[in-house]
Structure formats: structure tokens, C-alpha cells
Amino acid sequence: MVSELQVKHEVLNPPLKWAGGKRWLVPILHTMWKHYSGYRLVEPFVGGMAVALGLRPQKALLNDSNSHLMNFYFWLQKGLHADVNFKNDSCYYYSCRERFNQLILNGEADTKEAANLFYFMNRTGYNGLCRFNSKNQFNVPFGRYKSLNYPKDFLGYVPVLRKWHFSAVDFVDLYLQPNDFVYADPPYDVQFTRYSASDFKWNDQIRLAEWLACHKGPVVASNQATERVLALYQSLNFSITFLDAPRRISCNGDRKPAREILATRGINLNKLL
Ligand SMILES: C[S@@+](CC[C@H](N)C(=O)[O-])C[C@H]1O[C@@H](n2cnc3c(N)ncnc32)[C@H](O)[C@@H]1O
């Protein structure tokens, strides 16, 4: 499946490190997507963009509530050439972090400079994490990588991203049409820990499942296979498929493998898988 995708397109890798990246899921999603490839792909939680770059829809609405991430994609769409000095040095990293936080305070977080700094910190900060303190200041420490090797020129992304739309809102503010194929990959439900690092709480999981169940077109949602996620999607008449995910960086930096589910509606799985 992957080679079939590669023959059709020049492969574009996700340009950022992003927790919960779903590149490994693209071949499975493609078995469903290929029957709807004339549809608009809507990703309410686009994160590292692995799925959209893997499926390469003609039309897409890609959203994430992280406005800094979406600012980076906005500039990527315009043909970003990363022009910060990519030094692998802790003092330099912290001076860039300070400058980025100053841009946020100045109301200049939507600039090309902010996009460049965001990219640099994504590649040199600890584990590619994206974390802000209560004052909305980026606070990820230096990553201490032995060496850094990453692209600076993103011109290859321009023709692919040109027709896609990007937004940075809460998922519920997206306006869906019946001819939308929705792939939703929210932060994972973490059922058995008292403290969740994610702002995405159980109420948000419920609100998402109910919002997806109202969609008139095909829907695929992925999540950790906790008992309550399973019960939630089953109660809303989704079909459930279990998957074993590869080792991954979760949103809190944990690297444990996870049992996952794909919850689908409006897609006949017997025909496809
Ligand atoms: C598991 S990650 C998505 C990973 C993505 N599928 C990939 O392949 O990289 C979940 C994303 O949801 C975003 N998010 C969290 N709460 C949100 C909300 N209420 N509305 C929209 N996006 C949200 C986070 O910023 C994060 O990027």
C-alpha cells in the first residue's frame, strides 16, 4: 500500500516532530479514503499533518487548536525557507525561546519570524514537545541532541498545500458538509491516571464523539482503547476496529506502546478491509 502511494507522489515527510504522529496509520486509512477521494478531507486535529501528507487529498480543511502550529503551516503554504541560524547550542536555543515568547507578548506570533523560531525549537527542543506555561509562554527545555540534520527548504510543499485550508479553532467550530471525509485524531484518553498533562479532558472526548456522530458523511476517529472510549463510541453506533500502535511519543512524552481503536461511521468496513 505504501509503495502504491509512493509511486503516485513525491513523498513529503511531516516537516515537524509531533506527539501522536499517525504516519503508521496512513496505509489503513488509505483503504477507506480511496473510496472517497473526491471528498474534502477534514482533520479537526491535524497535528504533524502525517495523514494529509500521506493521503494527498485535492481538497482539505486542516485544523488544530495550536495556533503556533497552524502559523507554521500558513508560512509553509507560502514556501517557507527556514532562515534562522540552526545552531545546536543550549544558550542559543534559550535566546530563541526568549525571542519567540517576546513575539507572543508583542502580538506578533503570526509572523514568519515566529514560524521560523517555532520550527527551530521543534527540532532542537526536548523530544519535539510543544508545551506552554500558564502565561502562554513556550517552556520546553533544550533537547541535547548529538547532531541535528533537518531540511530548511520547504518549496516542495507549496503545490501540495496550495489548495488546502488551514484553521486554528476548537474542533466544534468547524463547519462540516456531507461530502466531508472526517478523520479525527484527538489527544488520547488517559483513563487510569489521576493527572493528565493534556488539556483535553473526558468532557471534550464526549463532546467530540457526539459532534462526530452528527456528521452526515464518513467519519473515522482514532483513540486509545480505554474502556470508556470504547463504550462512548459504541453507544453512538460507531463500528470499532482494534489496532496495535507502534511505540510512539504520546502528548506527555511517554513512549509506551498503546492499544488503539478506530471508530468509524458511514463507512462499510467489510467491503474495505
Ligand atoms: C494526537 S495529536 C494529532 C496527531 C496527528 N494526527 C498527526 O499525525 O501528527 C492531537 C492534536 O489535537 C490538538 N488539539 C487539542 N485540543 C484541541 C481542540 N479542542 N480542538 C482542535 N485541536 C485540538 C493538539 O494541539 C494536537 O496537535
Side-chain angles (χ1 to χ4, degrees):
M1 189 59 62
V2 172
S3 58
E4 187 191 316
L5 292 172
Q6 284 169 348
V7 170
K8 282 193 204 150
H9 311 293
E10 179 205 341
V11 174
L12 288 175
N13 292 323
L16 300 170
K17 296 180 181 195
W18 206 254
K22 287 296 184 300
R23 201 168 359 172
W24 62 274
L25 195 56
V26 170
I28 295 169
L29 292 173
H30 186 255
T31 60
M32 305 176 200
W33 166 253
K34 68 183 178 190
H35 298 274
Y36 299 94
S37 54
Y39 279 42
R40 180 174 70 156
L41 175 70
V42 177
E43 282 201 65
F45 307 89
V46 69
M49 209 164 46
V51 170
L53 287 174
L55 297 179
R56 295 287 188 90
Q58 285 296 313
K59 295 172 277 180
L61 172 58
L62 305 178
N63 176 74
D64 197 290
S65 59
N66 185 327
S67 58
H68 304 290
L69 175 69
M70 300 321 288
N71 181 54
F72 174 77
Y73 292 152
F74 173 78
W75 287 100
L76 193 68
Q77 199 179 29
K78 293 188 164 218
L80 184 72
H81 180 90
D83 54 10
V84 275
N85 185 353
F86 285 84
K87 271 199 283 185
N88 190 14
D89 170 87
S90 140
C91 289
Y92 183 68
Y93 173 84
Y94 287 110
S95 71
C96 287
R97 192 176 87 169
E98 204 175 309
R99 174 67 186 151
F100 181 74
N101 284 329
Q102 192 56 51
L103 290 175
I104 296 177
L105 291 173
N106 295 351
E108 293 172 307
D110 58 353
T111 55
K112 187 174 171 191
E113 182 185 4
N116 268 312
L117 291 168
F118 186 76
Y119 178 61
F120 170 72
M121 294 190 300
N122 175 265
R123 290 294 175 155
T124 49
Y126 183 76
N127 234 354
L129 291 179
C130 184
R131 199 182 57 193
F132 294 84
N133 65 19
S134 57
K135 292 180 183 150
N136 195 29
Q137 295 278 282
F138 188 80
N139 67 358
V140 174
F142 181 57
R144 301 186 184 283
Y145 294 100
K146 281 200 181 115
S147 64
L148 298 173
N149 181 21
Y150 41 85
K152 293 183 185 169
D153 193 338
F154 298 104
L155 280 180
Y157 291 80
V158 175
V160 177
L161 271 62
R162 186 177 292 135
K163 291 188 189 156
W164 297 353
H165 293 278
F166 293 92
S167 62
V169 296
D170 179 76
F171 65 86
V172 91
D173 295 328
L174 296 175
Y175 177 66
L176 297 181
Q177 295 158 3
N179 277 8
D180 285 338
F181 179 102
V182 180
Y183 170 59
D185 182 31
Y188 284 141
D189 175 43
V190 188
Q191 186 166 3
F192 295 114
T193 48
R194 246 190 292 162
Y195 171 72
S196 161
S198 168
D199 285 338
F200 206 81
K201 303 284 187 260
W202 179 240
N203 267 350
D204 298 307
Q205 300 284 0
I206 297 175
R207 151 176 111 81
L208 171 64
E210 289 175 347
W211 181 73
L212 292 173
C214 291
H215 179 47
K216 304 270 185 289
V219 180
V220 185
S222 43
N223 209 316
Q224 179 134 283
T226 60
E227 279 172 30
R228 61 186 184 179
V229 161
L230 204 58
L232 173 64
Y233 281 93
Q234 279 172 333
S235 73
L236 293 164
N237 295 323
F238 282 77
S239 303
I240 305 294
T241 307
F242 288 93
L243 300 168
D244 278 321
R247 286 163 73 86
R248 61 188 172 75
I249 320 174
S250 73
C251 289
N252 59 10
D254 181 2
R255 282 180 170 271
K256 284 187 214 112
R259 191 126 207 259
E260 303 207 357
I261 58 157
L262 276 189
T264 56
R265 259 176 80 104
I267 295 173
N268 185 344
L269 286 178
N270 294 331
K271 269 196 194 166
L272 308 179
L273 291 175

